[in-house]
Amino acid sequence: MSGFSHLFTPFSIGNVTVKNRIVFLPHFNALSSEDGMPTERDALYFAERAKGGAGLIIMYGIACTLSGKMSQKFIHGWDPQIVPGLSQYAELVHQHGSKIFGQINHGGHTTLQNPPQLLFAPTQMPEPSSPFNTKEMEIEDIQEVIEGFAKTALHFKMAGFDGVEIKVAHDGLLRSFVSEFFNRRTDQYGGSFENRLRFPLEVIQAIRDAVGDDYPLGIRLCLDEYTSWGYGLDFGLKLAKAFEETGQVTYINTDAGTFSSFYMEIPPAAVPKGFAVHMSASLKDTIKLPVIAFGRINDPVQAEKILADGQADLIGMARPLIADPELPNKAMRGDADDVRACIHCNDGCIFQVMQEKAIRCIHNPAAGREKTLGIGTLMPAAVKKRVVVIGGGVAGLKVSEIAALRGHQVTLIEKSGQLGGQVLLASKLPYRDQLLEVPSHLIKRVNRLGVEVLYNTEATEANVRSLQPDAVVIATGSYSGKLNIPGIDQDNVYNVYDVLQGKAAIGDRVLLIDRGGHYKGAGMAELLASQGKHVHIVTPLLFVGENLEPSNRALLYQRISKLDIEMTPHVEAVSIHGRDAVIQHVYSGKEQRLSGYDTFIYVTYNHSNEALYHALKGKCKEVYRVGDSAAPRMIEQAVWDGEEIGRKL
Ligand SMILES: Cc1cc2nc3c(=O)[nH]c(=O)nc-3n(C[C@H](O)[C@H](O)[C@H](O)COP(=O)(O)O)c2cc1C
Ligand code: SF4
């Protein structure tokens, strides 16, 4: 059991016993069909996490009524036609000895659709962070939703699911009913605490009537809304107690945040690891029902400690098992060091899903593509080759890993004394150190797989050919382009890489020209301003950080709004003159002179390092290029290219 005796002790949730304490938390993955039906691809997604060893899988919230569909892809819980499709999910998960519960939801006043469907709410008002207003529910609407919850629960049971949970959490209609802020009704469903609780309690009763007393029925419960207008932990605990007192609820799955504080629902790396453990611990002190902990618990050691300290009965993990479905099995066999830890970037998973696009993971190319890339799909190469990979950044490391796993003999040539490539620089920006996990994991893997690494070696056409490779993979990365404007060669002008490499002398007043809209610009502004500099950031984009994933951007804005940072969007820098710059408005064309800067820093697009590729192309048997050396892109594409070419070799 390798030091994880709590994590791998079975546990009973009502009459269902799970083989270990690891719960794959519910999360919409947009793998269902456009018309709200289950799909094989979706079933395989959950089966993969069961194969990887999770004791309990909780499927994402499916819609209880048409009005509850937050996305076109939300499965139609009320429709009996879903039962055969859902049965496949249950069968596949059960084959691996895991249990599966289904989540039932009504999106209420929140939606991913734009423009939205008709949104239901206790009182007509929008979610504060949304421009879309709602319909105040009539009694008939409430009745329809209650029936929808009951039907959906029954359909899960008919499909062989082992239990269900309802959502009184982030985007849920039921949470808005219990909330004093959202619920201003004066009928039997509003006003007092008891009245506000009436709707969820009627839902629970209706589900019990449909599925019986023994079927596990949990609540995904928001314990703290993390908004200035919403409720906090004390109220969350009061809710939990009230649900327990019904005698009809089997467990509580903790949760936090709302659509207006979504960065606490699905917290990015800037939120501390295990930030919500105090909530499950308080819940354990308040109720006797089993409690699932959640939120940035991404390593088995941390998980074991939470259980050992009595802060929860079960450990919920969503993104950690998206990034590495085999985390449970690896921990169980004493190989926790091999876990591909989620870096909480939110780029591949929630960012895609919020746009109703199929889930991805920057670290795990198989996420959402389990059939073709999942566990057991990597086949040994028919012909074992001598493979030379040039460049030890993420793309080069990934291709080395996959090629070595397939039995090829791999030599990795790195011109510096360190593997990791550009990520080593990017991780120097504030709250970006988690990025290092990607190369760190891959470095462990290539070492383990016996890849030969030649450090401090400049690859040339001659020395690569002298290795007599069967295949060469160029992963030489990219270099920063130069802004083509007058004044760019002045001594006080640097590109962002110069600054990250410590090659720049930065004065007190900085003009930062950001053509990227990502971390290089916004993160550099934060870094310099936190060192006491005045930073003025100009960008042609709609706003600073336009291309960032929204939860990361929200937290970034919370931080940078407290610093000495000036932001001017919609402008291009057109020239630099000593300590001045001229900017031009993108839409009006009007020019303006900005004066008195000590230093200018620019962020622009990169160019591929492709000379070696062209030198070797046609001279070696097989030549490929991956990552930025093909086209400068993000870390996810570097990982993806490495996986793809590694499988092709
Ligand atoms: C892509 C995505 C979709 C999510 N959808 C749901 C959902 O349908 N229901 C739910 O209760 N939580 C949902 N969540 C929240 C997760 O269950 C979980 O609470 C959150 O990701 C924090 O846990 P983690 O740090 O282990 O990822 C979603 C999370 C992600 C990443
Ligand atoms: S995309 Fe990022 S946050 Fe999402 S699971 Fe993968 S590593 Fe974690």
Side-chain angles (χ1 to χ4, degrees):
M1 215 62 79
S2 59
F4 298 114
S5 55
H6 293 85
L7 207 49
F8 294 103
T9 300
F11 186 78
S12 294
I13 307 172
N15 61 4
V16 168
T17 301
V18 290
K19 65 181 175 184
N20 61 45
R21 307 297 182 95
I22 302 176
V23 180
F24 189 39
L25 286 177
H27 56 281
F28 179 49
N29 56 19
L31 297 176
S32 43
S33 74
E34 288 291 339
D35 55 354
M37 285 291 139
T39 62
E40 185 199 29
R41 187 178 175 191
D42 198 15
L44 291 172
Y45 179 82
F46 293 107
E48 183 91 342
R49 276 72 202 176
K51 207 185 280 181
L56 174 64
I57 307 287
I58 307 180
M59 188 187 165
Y60 53 82
I62 70 171
C64 63
T65 57
L66 192 58
S67 60
K69 274 185 72 151
M70 290 177 59
S71 156
Q72 285 299 328
K73 291 186 173 175
F74 260 42
I75 289 180
H76 295 181
W78 68 91
D79 183 348
Q81 288 187 65
I82 65 170
V83 173
L86 283 186
S87 306
Q88 192 191 8
Y89 294 51
E91 276 164 29
L92 290 174
V93 166
H94 288 156
Q95 276 172 19
H96 300 288
S98 307
K99 303 291 185 201
I100 182 164
F101 290 0
Q103 190 184 65
I104 314 169
N105 190 33
H106 187 294
H109 54 280
T110 51
T111 186
L112 304 179
Q113 301 190 54
N114 187 354
Q117 76 278 21
L118 179 69
L119 301 173
F120 276 179
T123 305
Q124 185 169 68
M125 63 189 292
E127 173 73 32
S129 60
S130 157
F132 303 128
N133 211 344
T134 54
K135 177 191 178 195
E136 175 165 323
M137 286 176 83
E138 298 171 61
I139 296 297
E140 297 76 14
D141 298 327
I142 292 177
Q143 284 311 320
E144 188 201 343
V145 170
I146 292 171
E147 282 164 27
F149 268 100
K151 279 186 197 159
T152 307
L154 184 61
H155 294 153
F156 271 128
K157 190 175 181 191
M158 287 163 66
F161 277 58
D162 304 289
V164 288
E165 72 174 31
I166 60 171
K167 204 166 172 186
V168 186
H170 24 83
D171 42 49
L173 176 68
L174 299 183
R175 182 186 57 78
S176 62
F177 262 81
V178 299
S179 149
E180 207 169 354
F181 175 79
F182 287 106
N183 184 346
R184 301 177 189 191
R185 299 174 77 98
T186 51
D187 64 2
Q188 69 270 36
Y189 291 103
S192 66
F193 178 71
E194 289 69 27
N195 277 0
R196 282 184 279 126
L197 212 59
R198 189 179 308 280
F199 184 16
L201 295 192
E202 288 181 358
V203 165
I204 290 168
Q205 184 61 57
I207 291 177
R208 277 280 165 241
D209 292 345
V211 298
D213 289 339
D214 293 339
Y215 195 61
L217 166 56
I219 299 190
R220 186 91 209 254
L221 183 62
C222 172
L223 288 172
D224 188 337
E225 292 188 314
Y226 281 101
T227 56
S228 55
W229 56 84
Y231 65 76
L233 181 58
D234 286 349
F235 183 80
L237 295 174
K238 184 175 169 185
L239 280 174
K241 189 88 191 132
F243 285 127
E244 180 178 56
E245 281 166 0
T246 64
Q248 293 181 317
V249 172
T250 321
Y251 69 93
I252 302 286
N253 187 359
T254 57
D255 193 49
T258 73
F259 242 48
S260 296
S261 55
F262 62 101
Y263 43 83
M264 300 311 279
E265 287 177 7
I266 304 166
V271 175
K273 270 177 96 170
F275 79 101
V277 173
H278 71 282
M279 292 184 215
S280 55
S282 302
L283 203 49
K284 283 283 293 167
D285 291 340
T286 309
I287 58 170
K288 294 194 174 57
L289 295 175
V291 168
I292 305 177
F294 97 108
R296 289 213 63 206
I297 305 170
N298 73 343
D299 88 72
V301 176
Q302 182 194 9
E304 174 71 14
K305 184 167 183 331
I306 293 167
L307 294 174
D309 292 349
Q311 293 173 310
D313 300 295
L314 296 136
I315 300 295
M317 296 183 177
R319 292 165 297 172
L321 302 191
I322 300 173
D324 193 347
E326 294 185 274
L327 180 151
N329 284 345
K330 287 178 180 175
M332 194 163 66
R333 65 172 183 248
D335 204 5
D337 201 38
D338 193 42
V339 169
R340 185 171 50 226
C342 166
I343 63 166
H344 297 102
C345 61
N346 281 352
D347 284 331
C349 52
I350 191 64
F351 195 19
Q352 303 309 318
V353 166
M354 291 285 274
Q355 301 169 67
E356 304 186 73
K357 293 186 200 156
I359 198 159
R360 309 200 303 244
C361 171
I362 65 111
H363 211 356
N364 173 20
R369 305 171 178 111
E370 284 69 21
K371 188 169 186 171
T372 47
L373 301 179
I375 301 168
T377 60
L378 193 66
M379 292 300 152
V383 179
K384 305 284 188 275
K385 296 176 188 168
R386 172 142 181 67
V387 177
V388 173
V389 178
I390 300 153
V394 166
L397 285 164
K398 187 71 189 175
V399 78
S400 300
E401 180 205 22
I402 300 296
L405 275 170
R406 296 187 57 227
H408 295 305
Q409 186 196 340
V410 183
T411 299
L412 173 59
I413 303 179
E414 167 55 39
K415 74 171 179 212
S416 76
Q418 201 181 359
L419 296 171
Q422 284 195 28
V423 170
L424 301 176
L425 288 181
S427 65
K428 292 185 175 177
L429 292 170
Y431 299 97
R432 298 295 279 166
D433 53 333
Q434 284 255 343
L435 282 178
L436 287 175
E437 168 58 26
V438 178
S440 301
H441 171 74
L442 292 171
I443 290 166
K444 277 188 244 163
R445 299 282 294 162
V446 298
N447 287 338
R448 208 180 251 229
L449 290 162
V451 170
E452 178 190 29
V453 183
L454 306 180
Y455 290 98
N456 301 308
T457 306
E458 185 76 49
T460 61
E461 182 187 336
N463 66 11
V464 171
R465 291 179 72 183
S466 73
L467 293 170
Q468 298 184 314
D470 299 306
V472 178
V473 184
I474 306 291
T476 43
S478 62
Y479 61 94
S480 171
K482 193 167 167 184
L483 275 189
N484 187 18
I485 58 173
I488 199 73
D489 291 322
Q490 282 185 188
D491 287 347
N492 60 346
V493 182
Y494 302 97
N495 75 43
V496 73
Y497 290 95
D498 295 330
V499 184
L500 288 170
Q501 286 167 329
K503 293 181 185 166
I506 313 283
D508 287 339
R509 286 179 54 80
V510 177
L511 187 75
L512 207 161
I513 302 160
D514 180 18
R515 303 201 77 259
H518 214 268
Y519 266 109
K520 279 189 234 170
M524 178 54 68
E526 181 179 10
L527 180 70
L528 296 177
S530 60
Q531 292 166 0
K533 317 275 184 207
H534 168 80
V535 182
H536 185 175
I537 178 163
V538 294
T539 178
L541 300 173
L542 286 177
F543 50 88
V544 170
E546 184 184 330
N547 294 319
L548 287 172
E549 182 280 325
S551 67
N552 281 285
R553 186 170 59 227
L555 292 173
L556 175 98
Y557 266 75
Q558 284 184 11
R559 299 192 303 269
I560 65 176
S561 59
K562 296 182 191 121
L563 296 170
D564 187 10
I565 297 178
E566 210 179 321
M567 300 186 228
T568 307
H570 315 164
V571 294
E572 289 280 14
V574 290
S575 57
I576 298 172
H577 312 268
R579 299 185 70 214
D580 296 357
V582 175
I583 55 171
Q584 183 176 43
H585 199 274
V586 173
Y587 302 107
S588 70
K590 205 170 143 197
E591 290 198 350
Q592 185 189 351
R593 194 172 182 101
L594 303 174
S595 300
Y597 297 96
D598 303 308
T599 310
F600 299 87
I601 300 169
Y602 63 90
V603 178
T604 187
Y605 49 82
N606 280 16
H607 296 286
S608 300
N609 287 318
E610 53 189 358
L612 192 60
Y613 170 76
H614 290 298
L616 290 169
K617 192 177 167 193
K619 295 185 189 136
C620 294
K621 280 183 238 166
E622 294 174 45
V623 183
Y624 305 92
R625 51 180 169 166
V626 290
D628 278 14
S629 69
R633 287 156 295 158
M634 310 298 282
I635 198 167
E636 179 181 358
Q637 285 72 38
V639 172
W640 172 256
D641 282 8
E643 176 89 29
E644 193 184 20
I645 298 301
R647 283 176 179 252
K648 208 185 251 186
L649 285 167

